[in-house]
């Protein structure tokens, strides 16, 4: 088990290093002069040159890269010229709102996806199976920003049941969380359906039914226990994807999370905040994938026995 954890941690470190390098290169090749943007259109060449020295942009690219990696190791991304605070502080102040949105969307997706997937898998090939399969395809077909706009038109502007933007009570999270959950719900439902359908054809399920157990007892006591193993891995991977999807959804609903912070910072060329926010999301995704791998190894007896041997 320690060997498995070590390999996963090493892979996570390499992924984060790759993310750091990619972000550094993107920022450096982006059009425009960051120093000129920070100082404004009225800055003279001397002021721009002084800002280059302050930001280290006058150094060779390899020296900039090394200094950047050293600062990242110390969680020092510099200060946001727009917000007047440290970049990592700005990220951490917005992170709780994004976590709330992501966890709420994940909970909705898991509940609805498990119910739909189980209903379809129990009656594989039936009408309800075809209906659920079609529904999952539809859920994955529409982009989240379009879903969000439609929900705003119906439930905010039309029925006036829920707020359309910002944070105004617990009802404010409903529309953005439901919007974000749509694609994830479809994935959970399809994976659950496959696992349940496969488990229902196993001899132990037929034996349990022949002993007089109800379908509900067989489903909760035998089928889901095995069918949920692949769902665990999907959840670990897709919760990370939800963080990426939150960037779009937060801007549709003006949700004060990392998504709106990243878009505002990109538009204002606030590179310190962009780097801090992007690497924070990358680190969270790496940790979630590590947790999913370890949990999958504990749930699946085949992997657990292989690790022990």
């Amino acid at each position: 088990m320690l060997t498995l954890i070590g390999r996963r941690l090493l892979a996570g470190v390499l992924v984060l290093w790759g993310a750091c390098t990619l972000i550094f290169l993107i920022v450096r090749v982006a059009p425009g002069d960051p120093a000129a943007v920070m100082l404004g259109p009225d800055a003279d060449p001397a002021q721009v040159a002084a800002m280059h020295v302050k930001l280290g942009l006058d150094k060779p690219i390899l020296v900039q890269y090394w200094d950047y990696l050293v600062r990242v190791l110390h969680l020092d991304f510099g200060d946001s010229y727009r917000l007047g605070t440290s970049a990592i502080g700005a990220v951490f102040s917005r992170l709780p709102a994004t976590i709330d949105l992501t966890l709420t969307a994940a909970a909705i997706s898991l509940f609805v996806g498990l119910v739909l997937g189980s209903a379809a898998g129990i009656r594989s090939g039936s009408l309800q199976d075809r209906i659920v399969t079609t529904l999952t395809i539809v859920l994955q077909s529409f982009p989240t920003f379009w879903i969000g706009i439609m929900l705003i038109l119906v439930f905010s502007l039309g029925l006036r049941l829920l707020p359309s933007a910002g944070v105004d009570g617990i009802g404010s999270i409903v529309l953005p969380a439901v919007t974000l959950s749509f694609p994830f719900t479809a994935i959970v439902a399809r994976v659950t359906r496959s696992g349940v359908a496969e488990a229902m054809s196993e001899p132990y399920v037929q034996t349990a039914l022949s002993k007089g157990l109800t379908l509900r007892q067989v489903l909760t006591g035998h089928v889901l226990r095995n069918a949920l193993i692949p769902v665990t891995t999907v959840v670990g991977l897709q919760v990370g994807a939800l963080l990426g999807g939150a960037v779009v959804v937060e801007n549709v609903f003006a949700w004060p999370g990392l998504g709106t912070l990243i878009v505002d910072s990109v538009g204002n060329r606030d590179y310190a905040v962009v780097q801090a926010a992007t690497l924070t999301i990358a680190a969270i995704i790496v940790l979630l994938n590590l947790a999913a791998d370890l949990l999958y190894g504990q749930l699946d007896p085949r992997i657990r026995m292989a690790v022990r041997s």
Side-chain angles (χ1 to χ4, degrees), residues 163 167-173 255:
V167 180
D168 185 19
I170 193 172
S172 301
I173 200 173
W255 185 259

Side-chain angles (χ1 to χ4, degrees), residues 2-18 286 290:
L2 292 178
T3 303
L4 175 63
I5 295 176
R7 288 200 299 265
R8 293 295 186 268
L9 286 176
L10 178 59
V13 170
L14 292 176
V15 169
L16 289 178
W17 172 72
V286 168
L290 174 62

Side-chain angles (χ1 to χ4, degrees), residues 210-253:
S210 65
K211 289 182 178 181
L213 294 179
T214 64
L215 186 59
R216 181 178 180 181
Q217 290 174 324
V218 173
L219 179 65
T220 57
H222 300 277
V223 173
L224 285 180
R225 182 178 301 176
N226 295 309
L228 289 181
I229 293 177
V231 175
T232 304
T233 302
V234 171
V235 169
L237 296 174
Q238 292 301 316
V239 168
L242 285 177
L243 287 172
V247 174
V248 176
V249 173
E250 286 182 5
N251 282 276
V252 172
F253 292 94

Side-chain angles (χ1 to χ4, degrees), residues 41-265:
D42 298 329
D44 57 48
Q47 292 176 317
V48 174
M51 182 59 69
H52 280 166
V53 175
K54 181 179 179 180
L55 297 177
L57 298 177
D58 60 322
K59 300 177 181 178
I61 190 69
L62 291 179
V63 176
Q64 294 183 42
Y65 178 61
W66 175 255
D67 292 342
Y68 167 70
L69 290 180
V70 172
R71 291 198 306 270
V72 168
L73 289 176
H74 292 86
L75 295 181
D76 179 14
F77 295 91
D79 295 330
S80 168
Y81 79 92
R82 183 174 57 93
L83 301 175
T85 183
S86 66
I88 195 66
V91 169
F92 285 162
S93 67
R94 295 287 194 96
L95 185 59
T98 297
I99 292 177
D100 289 343
L101 176 60
T102 302
L103 292 180
T104 304
I108 295 172
S109 300
L110 283 174
F111 177 75
V112 178
L114 288 175
V115 171
L116 292 178
S118 300
I122 291 175
R123 299 280 189 265
S124 180
S126 65
L127 177 61
Q128 68 186 38
D129 182 20
R130 291 194 292 271
I131 292 175
V132 171
T133 301
T134 303
L135 180 61
T136 57
I137 295 174
V138 171
L139 289 178
Q140 286 188 288
S141 299
F142 297 109
T144 51
F145 72 87
W146 183 87
I147 296 173
I149 293 173
M150 291 301 103
L151 292 179
I152 290 174
L153 290 176
V154 174
F155 293 99
S156 296
L157 301 180
L159 300 177
R160 299 186 180 278
L161 295 176
L162 296 167
S164 61
V167 180
D168 185 19
I170 193 172
S172 301
I173 200 173
V174 174
L175 290 185
V178 170
T179 301
L180 187 59
S181 70
F182 267 45
F184 189 26
T185 300
I187 294 173
V188 173
R190 295 175 70 173
V191 174
T192 304
R193 183 262 175 204
S194 298
V196 170
E198 181 180 355
M200 289 296 294
S201 62
E202 294 293 334
Y204 69 86
V205 173
Q206 305 303 321
T207 301
L209 291 172
S210 65
K211 289 182 178 181
L213 294 179
T214 64
L215 186 59
R216 181 178 180 181
Q217 290 174 324
V218 173
L219 179 65
T220 57
H222 300 277
V223 173
L224 285 180
R225 182 178 301 176
N226 295 309
L228 289 181
I229 293 177
V231 175
T232 304
T233 302
V234 171
V235 169
L237 296 174
Q238 292 301 316
V239 168
L242 285 177
L243 287 172
V247 174
V248 176
V249 173
E250 286 182 5
N251 282 276
V252 172
F253 292 94
W255 185 259
L258 282 182
T260 51
L261 178 64
I262 290 174
V263 172
D264 291 342
S265 300

